[in-house]
Amino acid sequence: MRDATPQTIYLSDYQPFGYLVDEVALTFDLDPHQTRVKSRIAFRPNPDAADSRFFLHGEDLKLISAQIDGRSVTPEVTETGLTCDVPDGPFIWEAEVEIDPKRNTALEGLYMSNGMYCTQCEAEGFRKITYYPDRPDVMSVFTVTINGPHPVLLSNGNPVAQGPNHAEWHDPWPKPAYLFALVAGDLVAHSDRFTTMSGREVDLNLYVRPGDEGKCAFGMEALKASMKWDEEVYGREYDLDLFNIVAVDDFNMGAMENKGLNIFNSAAVLASPETSTDDNFERIEAIIAHEYFHNWTGNRITCRDWFQLCLKEGLTVYRDSQFTSDMRSAPVKRISDVIDLRSRQFAEDQGPLAHPVRPESFQEINNFYTATVYEKGAEVIGMLKTLVGDEAYAKALDLYFERHDGDAATIEDWLKVFEDTTGRDLTQFKRWYSQAGTPHLAVTEAWDAGKGVLTLSFTQHTPPSVATPDPAPQVLPIAVGLVGPDGSEVAPTRILEMTEAQQSFVFDGLDERPVASILRGFSAPVVLEHDQSKQERLHLLAHDSDAFNRWEAGRTLARQSLLDTILLSSAPDAAWLDALDLLLTDETLEPAFRALMLGLPSHAELASTLHTKGHTPDPAAIHEAIETTRDAMAHRFADVLGQLYARHMVDAPYRPDAEQSGKRALTNAALSLLTRVQGPDRAEGQYAQADNMTQQLSALGTLVRTGHGDKALSDFETRWQNDRLVMDKWFGLQVSQASPDDATEVAQRLTEHADFNWKNPNRFRAVFGSLAMHHAGFHHVSGKGYTLLAEWLMRLDPVNPQTTARMCSAFQTWRRYDAARQAKIEVELDRMLAQPGLSRDTREMLSRIREA
Ligand code: B3K
Ligand code: ZN
């Protein structure tokens, strides 16, 4: 909403609501501009609440009538809700409101997308549907009646009555309003069944627009696999007769875990080999699992207040990453997660948006669905599991489900189950939830050859931030292995538990000095500063039995080589390239791993590293260094890459599984490098022959990047113009593969394309998300990238504050750059902040960024 004097909400102010809600009955008479919503809510005083004020949230609602116990009342209505005198004991509140779903472009509350009605209520969208205590600790049983001329009318729970233009639904599980959902439209179902562990039959439906039926099979299989996995690994069984998923084109994020009625961005569920890449398939599988897993971690056990968001999100991300590791390759998943964490979460922690995993204040909660809450929140759970061990983790989780089923819980509740099952005191561990910032972990080694003792001395230090000016030492589980001179493991991996600012650990009984492999599996989300020699890193790259640290050794060498190129104009490190050469041809290594080894730190990661080391990153120099390094790799490996390309090209019919997609990742990485030395023929051939989107898009990207893409781009457009999801790729790729000088103009030109529907978040993000991610293009010295993005964000803000606010984070790292760039960004930030009627969402983001 628009709010001239935004209010800050504090965790410390939490008070329970004065009333409990026993039952809710809602009736919807659907109409594009005049939907009527009748509510009948049974309230009774909450014995645990000190404050008995009766306040119901409500925004953009036209109140038609209100009654208490059947008698008309005239509440005091403001822009944010209403208050009313109520009886001392239990009472029935009834109201009728009118809303305008068609005008709801913010995509929050009840809105329309391609003629269908759908809802998004998390975090605070339900208040745009009717007057209600819209807070997660108010849980109730909902019965919903929908009247409307649509073949499909859906809500949460189980159906109780269905007739022409009419449906009734009942959800027996008490839930907060943010999990409410309604869908109405002309949809078709892809259906299946699942038999649960106790033998109950569950009907499964994936509802899509007619024409999309062919893109449902994979999502349905992923759903069944998720249901099975949650039974086997966490003992969690599904609890309704029905599980529905609906695909929607206009959606602000990936998907939403509404009870029994998940709503998905079409991009996060629709898949076919011809239209989706391997990465799309993997992401879809993970999101389906994530939303399904929320049924227990989020829905059955929800959050007391929005400060506890990580309680459900961190845990559910952790669970979905475990699922992906089990379904695919665990090392590859771990490496990909760390790449993502470093690029998104570390950047957040380093800048003005830094906040703890459990924030302590906010103005707009939608601004806190962040990499810190989600991804760092998941890392914290991974650390907890490492510290207590797998068995204790399983026990603690069992207790969590048993003790808190039906609760709106807190982080304190969560940690208490671990304390109760293990006897550990987690007081210090809790700092992971309350302190912002990424700890830096420095380590030095002392080798006593006479005694055969290696001493590792660690120091931890977290840079202060506005959110946490004075960070205290955290508990760090540091997984350490020792690799002998012959490459063998000297001792099993040991978990060191660091709790002090400085601490030493001793490894004795060693015959020869081993090479220390520290932070195996990335056992804590920290920046590791380990002054190892190049020789030692090459040794780990060749021999480390921990796949993550093997990759990390290569990554560190690559990063150092790039930094030397940027700062000293050195040629790429020949020793690193030689070592890589050996790995590439090692057929015992999975292709996906080798594809990751061919990757380089991103522009943004290098900028962050340079900044951490006290340099001012120059985006153009970073780009240059990456290009030089890629060229060197292409020349150095041309023969090997040609062989790999031929050997791993998949001939078998397309499958999106880990094995085939790993091979395609490797051949596509090879293609991209080979095109640098061999010209466009191979990529043109792959583009022409590809029978799947992974190979087609990768070839197209390579062609566009090397300046040979015009013909293929127009062919692609002609072929896919009627497929909105594929066209998103077409829009995005042109920006992401443009040269730094051209990226802004390309984005600008694409906004003039007839299919640039900027009110659709997927399309907007395809162009402007790609521009913001194009480091050297966005940070072009002219400042044109900043100006174009700011202009479009200001156009979008009145239409869709949530997506606008999210994309403002493109500016979060602005203080890293040189004075000239900072000045240009400052102008744009000030211009945006001066925009009249700026949304609360965007104002909060821009002010936090601007104050840096
Ligand atoms: N819980 C939703 C996110 C809601 C975002 C609201 N701004 C999706 C998820 O994390 O599963
Ligand atoms: Zn989630």
Side-chain angles (χ1 to χ4, degrees):
M1 69 162 301
R2 264 133 252 288
D3 192 342
T5 49
Q7 244 197 319
T8 302
I9 322 278
Y10 296 92
L11 166 61
S12 53
D13 286 347
Y14 173 80
Q15 291 289 339
F17 184 52
Y19 299 85
L20 301 174
V21 177
D22 288 324
E23 271 184 90
V24 182
L26 301 171
T27 301
F28 288 81
D29 292 311
L30 296 174
D31 180 88
H33 286 296
Q34 292 169 315
T35 286
R36 288 286 175 109
V37 186
K38 294 193 198 88
S39 58
R40 185 180 191 281
I41 308 171
F43 285 105
R44 84 186 135 93
N46 179 356
D48 297 331
D51 184 350
S52 63
R53 259 178 321 153
F54 183 71
F55 176 78
L56 300 183
H57 297 102
E59 283 174 19
D60 304 332
L61 305 173
K62 185 162 142 198
L63 181 62
I64 307 293
S65 65
Q67 280 126 41
I68 289 181
D69 290 335
R71 277 190 301 278
S72 288
V73 290
T74 311
E76 197 180 311
V77 179
T78 67
E79 277 200 342
T80 57
L82 61 74
T83 53
C84 193
D85 289 333
V86 298
D88 286 342
F91 62 94
I92 303 290
W93 162 268
E94 285 170 285
E96 181 166 4
V97 301
E98 189 177 290
I99 52 179
D100 188 343
K102 188 101 199 226
R103 270 196 50 210
N104 181 357
T105 54
L107 316 182
E108 202 185 36
L110 178 68
Y111 64 93
M112 299 196 76
S113 171
N114 292 320
M116 90 191 242
Y117 292 84
C118 60
T119 53
Q120 172 55 36
C121 293
E122 186 177 0
E124 298 179 334
F126 192 75
R127 62 190 62 184
K128 295 179 163 187
I129 292 176
T130 193
Y131 287 101
Y132 196 76
D134 187 8
R135 36 187 291 166
D137 58 346
V138 174
M139 299 172 81
S140 187
V141 170
F142 283 64
T143 303
V144 177
T145 303
I146 314 170
N147 300 312
H150 309 279
V152 174
L153 301 168
L154 307 172
S155 191
N156 316 87
N158 298 315
V160 284
Q162 300 275 353
N165 305 335
H166 173 88
E168 282 173 46
W169 292 82
H170 178 72
D171 181 1
W173 298 103
K175 66 169 178 288
Y178 83 84
L179 291 172
F180 166 82
L182 177 151
V183 168
D186 182 6
L187 301 167
V188 287
H190 175 98
S191 305
D192 208 327
R193 303 199 100 187
F194 181 80
T195 309
T196 70
M197 60 205 274
S198 72
R200 281 191 312 98
E201 291 290 313
V202 182
D203 287 327
L204 311 175
N205 299 298
L206 173 44
Y207 285 97
V208 297
R209 280 166 61 185
D212 286 336
E213 300 89 329
K215 296 183 179 175
C216 297
F218 179 79
M220 183 57 82
E221 289 310 311
L223 174 61
K224 289 189 288 178
S226 309
M227 295 176 88
K228 185 121 196 70
W229 186 90
D230 213 16
E231 290 184 345
E232 287 172 359
V233 180
Y234 280 85
R236 299 295 103 207
E237 185 176 8
Y238 186 62
D239 53 7
L240 290 166
D241 306 335
L242 184 63
F243 189 83
N244 286 327
I245 292 179
V246 180
V248 175
D249 288 341
D250 299 284
F251 207 65
N252 278 333
M253 63 248 171
M256 177 64 210
E257 69 262 25
N258 317 297
K259 183 78 187 188
L261 177 54
N262 285 189
I263 298 183
F264 272 63
N265 186 327
S266 342
V269 61
L270 300 181
S272 76
E274 299 73 34
T275 59
S276 313
T277 63
D278 291 332
D279 289 347
N280 295 152
F281 277 99
E282 182 172 336
R283 176 166 177 264
I284 287 168
E285 184 178 82
I287 297 183
I288 290 199
H290 180 98
E291 306 311 334
Y292 175 75
F293 296 160
H294 267 315
N295 189 56
W296 274 95
T297 49
N299 302 2
R300 288 285 285 261
I301 305 179
T302 192
C303 302
R304 185 193 74 174
D305 54 72
W306 289 121
F307 296 102
Q308 320 295 329
L309 184 57
C310 61
L311 180 76
K312 73 178 179 82
E313 295 304 347
L315 179 53
T316 307
V317 171
Y318 184 70
R319 276 151 49 70
D320 84 53
S321 69
Q322 286 182 301
F323 169 78
T324 299
S325 305
D326 285 355
M327 302 291 287
R328 293 166 180 265
S329 155
V332 168
K333 171 66 175 161
R334 187 65 189 139
I335 294 166
S336 316
D337 280 352
V338 174
I339 292 174
D340 180 68
L341 186 82
R342 282 181 175 150
S343 81
R344 298 193 303 119
Q345 200 282 320
F346 282 19
E348 204 160 81
D349 252 349
Q350 269 186 6
L353 299 180
H355 56 276
V357 168
R358 180 170 71 174
E360 276 153 27
S361 69
F362 62 76
Q363 288 176 358
E364 171 51 64
I365 185 57
N366 281 328
N367 289 336
F368 284 85
Y369 285 74
T370 59
T372 299
V373 170
Y374 275 64
E375 275 73 32
K376 187 174 176 184
E379 291 297 320
V380 172
I381 291 173
M383 284 190 287
L384 197 50
K385 182 160 179 275
T386 303
L387 288 169
V388 303
D390 294 354
E391 223 172 284
Y393 174 82
K395 259 201 197 144
L397 267 285
D398 286 347
L399 180 62
Y400 179 61
F401 292 122
E402 186 191 314
R403 188 184 280 178
H404 292 294
D405 187 8
D407 285 353
T410 60
I411 288 304
E412 282 72 18
D413 295 329
W414 162 254
L415 290 177
K416 186 80 170 54
V417 298
F418 281 85
E419 294 193 320
D420 290 354
T421 42
T422 64
R424 263 175 185 261
D425 177 354
L426 293 173
T427 313
Q428 188 188 1
F429 185 81
K430 200 174 164 191
R431 288 183 189 151
W432 278 108
Y433 288 98
S434 61
Q435 294 192 162
T438 307
H440 286 230
L441 177 64
V443 54
T444 54
E445 302 183 26
W447 169 243
D448 184 334
K451 293 193 181 132
V453 170
L454 178 71
T455 305
L456 298 180
S457 299
F458 292 91
T459 313
Q460 58 165 306
H461 163 76
T462 303
S465 56
V466 178
T468 308
D470 192 15
Q474 304 193 157
V475 182
L476 305 179
I478 308 168
V480 176
L482 301 178
V483 182
D486 63 350
S488 65
E489 285 287 292
V490 174
T493 301
R494 195 171 134 193
I495 308 295
L496 311 179
E497 198 172 322
M498 183 174 184
T499 54
E500 312 288 324
Q502 291 185 7
Q503 223 168 323
S504 296
F505 298 87
V506 171
F507 295 77
D508 51 19
L510 302 168
D511 298 333
E512 290 170 293
R513 179 171 189 165
V515 178
S517 167
I518 295 177
L519 211 67
R520 283 188 156 175
F522 202 62
S523 58
V526 300
V527 174
L528 180 66
E529 292 160 6
H530 186 194
D531 205 6
Q532 266 178 322
S533 70
K534 192 187 285 184
Q535 248 358 82
E536 287 172 309
R537 293 199 200 286
L538 289 167
H539 192 69
L540 294 179
L541 178 59
H543 302 293
D544 203 323
S545 65
D546 180 72
F548 176 82
N549 262 7
R550 197 165 182 193
W551 169 82
E552 179 79 323
R555 187 68 154 196
T556 309
L557 288 165
R559 193 182 300 116
Q560 193 51 53
S561 171
L562 281 156
L563 293 179
D564 289 346
T565 307
I566 295 164
L567 297 170
L568 312 167
S569 304
S570 320
D573 179 1
W576 160 59
L577 293 176
D578 287 347
L580 210 49
D581 198 351
L582 287 178
L583 286 178
L584 288 176
T585 48
D586 182 347
E587 287 298 326
T588 65
L589 296 172
E590 54 180 328
F593 181 79
R594 282 182 274 165
L596 284 167
M597 294 293 321
L598 277 174
L600 292 179
S602 68
H603 295 68
E605 186 184 332
L606 290 169
S608 156
T609 308
L610 284 163
H611 170 73
T612 310
K613 292 181 183 290
H615 301 281
T616 301
D618 173 356
I622 294 174
H623 184 76
E624 231 12 75
I626 290 181
E627 288 301 302
T628 309
T629 306
R630 288 236 163 268
D631 281 342
M633 290 167 80
H635 281 103
R636 174 76 176 70
F637 302 139
D639 292 345
V640 173
L641 292 170
Q643 288 153 20
L644 286 176
Y645 187 84
R647 178 193 269 263
H648 293 286
M649 181 50 77
V650 178
D651 293 329
Y654 181 90
R655 290 193 320 267
D657 60 13
E659 190 202 335
Q660 273 201 7
S661 42
K663 290 183 174 180
R664 280 185 291 268
L666 185 57
T667 51
N668 284 336
L671 176 72
S672 164
L673 287 170
L674 283 170
T675 303
R676 287 174 184 264
V677 282
Q678 297 176 344
D681 290 0
R682 191 187 293 259
E684 278 167 358
Q686 178 168 317
Y687 177 82
Q689 280 156 27
D691 65 354
N692 62 78
M693 183 50 66
T694 308
Q695 288 172 327
Q696 192 179 129
L697 197 71
S698 159
L700 181 64
T702 295
L703 289 170
V704 171
R705 189 176 42 69
T706 51
H708 298 99
D710 289 353
K711 206 166 130 272
L713 270 176
S714 81
D715 171 82
F716 193 93
E717 183 186 9
T718 312
R719 193 170 339 168
W720 297 113
Q721 58 190 336
N722 295 322
D723 189 309
R724 61 219 183 272
L725 296 177
V726 180
M727 284 304 284
D728 287 335
K729 300 183 199 309
W730 182 83
F731 274 91
L733 175 142
Q734 291 182 70
V735 181
S736 65
Q737 302 304 321
S739 74
D741 284 344
D742 295 342
T744 302
E745 282 78 7
V746 170
Q748 158 69 42
R749 190 167 45 69
L750 286 169
T751 63
E752 289 154 19
H753 191 284
D755 290 334
F756 182 66
N757 170 11
W758 59 274
K759 293 184 183 170
N760 174 264
N762 290 358
R763 192 57 50 95
F764 190 92
R765 279 190 290 254
V767 173
F768 289 107
S770 302
L771 178 61
M773 299 275 290
H774 191 311
H775 189 258
F778 180 57
H779 292 287
H780 192 271
V781 66
S782 62
K784 59 188 177 182
Y786 309 142
T787 307
L788 186 71
L789 182 66
E791 261 171 32
W792 277 90
L793 289 177
M794 286 308 94
R795 190 180 298 201
L796 187 64
D797 188 56
V799 169
N800 187 334
Q802 214 181 113
T803 291
T804 309
R806 229 185 150 69
M807 294 189 66
C808 289
S809 58
F811 293 104
Q812 71 175 317
T813 52
W814 70 297
R815 287 293 192 199
R816 270 183 200 164
Y817 298 96
D818 53 87
R821 282 186 174 85
Q822 284 193 35
K824 292 193 164 76
I825 296 176
E826 194 168 336
V827 168
E828 300 306 336
L829 292 173
D830 288 344
R831 207 201 316 265
M832 289 191 281
L833 277 163
Q835 175 102 345
L838 199 64
S839 69
R840 177 175 62 202
D841 311 51
T842 302
R843 178 171 301 284
E844 182 187 25
M845 289 294 277
L846 291 175
S847 324
R848 286 165 67 206
I849 293 170
R850 177 68 181 84
E851 278 160 24

